[in-house]
């Protein structure tokens, strides 16, 4: 071992495991989002992270495990960002607005995260779609809880459609975020307000009982 | 060749190619939706179709090609079902309503198609997600055209957000259809009316210029 190598090895060893793991995951998200899962190489991730391949394998496993760990971490960060934006003291429309704002802010600031989470994980399929499904499930529950609270606050029994509408809103948000990746000239606030305007009146109706009905033909 | 084999072979040969291909694709959709892409076997598809494996290979190629052909055919059927439900003479809200009705009717009647199209293709990723993306693009264009027509009919310049909102609606429909697969007790008309009620007021606002704005905090 040369002096240089020894010095580097000593320095590397001093880093606590969580710091090392964060370095690896940061690098992996960058490389996966740039090259896609299939074309991303562990050599490249190792180089970007400044962590040797054997150490990556020891800490986070092989490419498939590493990719799954990226999805889990980025999904958790996204959910935390949304939860941090919303407090239950706010009026229902403001809760939804802040939730949407937080979502599009996260996607805008963490475009690499979103690419890995949504585009890469979707196009890779297999075990990764399980991780994605779990994340979607959590997001749907969050919105569902908001809609149920919103109805019960007004002293009404929540409609049984809240979970379905929560699923619709999550799908709409994902799809719109995907559209937005190709239209970066639009601000995150504008995108959020489009979606808010699209759905809020509908959610409001759900609570007040106003309905659209087809005109007789 | 036994007499039986010869008779069968003669009978099979009499079928025109398009009929044979339809048999194969029908069987493939059934098998893929039941077992998933990975676990589906060409033996099973051959047996369900009543067509020999060499003939399947000759007509539609190997498993990957066959799956891609299924996605293309089912996507085309879905788009045709939606287009058949909508005529441009209808008022914009009725066009959207009939489009949503046709979509959920198709998903309800062709659950196997939808499983292959959406769940299987999504979870397989790779080349199949390209087919899916193309289908989504066509669906988004269809809804976008409806929203633009709806605005111009009222003598207004269409908002630049129509394409984004079309993307949101397509994502909401997909996500809601997925939720519906796990809640078959809800009727297709009910699911369609939930989504219509969720988005129509929002789309109406897009045209009339009414907007939701956050309350000052």
């Amino acid at each position: 071992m040369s002096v240089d190598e020894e010095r580097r090895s000593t320095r590397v060893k001093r880093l606590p495991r969580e710091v090392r793991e964060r370095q690896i995951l940061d690098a992996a998200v960058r490389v996966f989002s740039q090259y896609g899962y299939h074309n991303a190489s562990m050599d490249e991730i190792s180089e970007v992270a400044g962590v040797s391949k054997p150490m990556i394998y020891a800490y986070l496993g092989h490419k498939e495990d590493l990719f799954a760990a990226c999805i889990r971490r980025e999904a958790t960060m996204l959910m935390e960002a949304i939860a941090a934006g919303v407090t239950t003291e706010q009026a229902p429309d403001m809760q939804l607005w802040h939730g949407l704002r937080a979502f599009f802010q996260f996607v805008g600031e963490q475009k690499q995260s979103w690419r890995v989470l949504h585009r890469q994980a979707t196009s890779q399929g297999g075990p990764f779609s399980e991780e994605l499904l779990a994340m979607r499930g959590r997001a749907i529950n969050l919105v569902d809880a908001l809609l149920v609270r919103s109805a019960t606050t007004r002293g009404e029994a929540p409609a049984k459609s809240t979970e379905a509408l929560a699923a619709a809103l999550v799908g709409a948000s994902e799809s719109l975020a995907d559209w937005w990746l190709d239209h970066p000239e639009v601000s995150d606030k504008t995108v959020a307000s489009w979606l808010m305007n699209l759905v809020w009146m509908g959610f409001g109706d759900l609570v007040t009982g106003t309905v659209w009905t087809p005109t007789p033909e």
Side-chain angles (χ1 to χ4, degrees), chain A residues 134-150:
Chain A
M135 174 185 81
R136 298 192 80 241
R138 276 184 288 157
I140 290 171
N141 288 342
L142 202 85
V143 178
D144 185 21
L146 164 67
L147 295 178
V148 169
R149 264 203 313 276
S150 149

Side-chain angles (χ1 to χ4, degrees), chain A residues 154-188:
Chain A
R154 303 182 191 213
E156 299 175 40
K160 67 174 179 159
S161 55
T162 55
E163 191 188 74
L165 292 179
L169 178 62
V170 168
S173 306
E174 285 177 319
S175 185
L176 186 53
D178 229 41
W179 174 89
W180 188 35
L181 279 187
D182 299 326
H183 298 81
E185 72 280 6
V186 181
S187 77
D188 60 322

Side-chain angles (χ1 to χ4, degrees), chain A residues 1 18 23 30 35 47 51 59 63 81-82 98 102 117 137 148 158 163 170 178 191 205 208 214:
Chain A
M1 199 180 267
E18 58 189 275
Q23 284 178 339
R30 222 169 109 187
Y35 297 102
E47 204 179 303
V51 175
Y59 276 11
K63 191 166 145 185
I82 295 175
H98 285 297
L117 264 182
V148 169
E163 191 188 74
V170 168
D178 229 41
V191 179
D205 293 338
T208 61

Side-chain angles (χ1 to χ4, degrees), chain A residues 46 93 109 118 135 157-158 208 216:
Chain A
S46 162
D93 59 339
E109 285 162 12
H118 194 67
M135 174 185 81
T208 61

Side-chain angles (χ1 to χ4, degrees), chain A residues 3-53:
Chain A
V3 176
D4 258 11
E5 278 172 339
E6 203 181 339
R7 197 183 300 141
R8 202 162 117 226
S9 147
T10 317
R11 201 175 56 219
V12 168
K13 277 199 185 114
R14 279 212 200 100
L15 289 175
R17 180 176 178 141
E18 58 189 275
V19 175
R20 197 80 53 77
E21 284 191 357
R22 198 173 61 221
Q23 284 178 339
I24 299 169
L25 288 171
D26 286 345
V29 167
R30 222 169 109 187
V31 174
F32 283 133
S33 79
Q34 189 173 354
Y35 297 102
Y37 175 75
H38 191 72
N39 295 322
S41 77
M42 292 300 270
D43 288 318
E44 178 97 17
I45 293 170
S46 162
E47 204 179 303
V48 172
V51 175
S52 73
K53 275 209 289 184

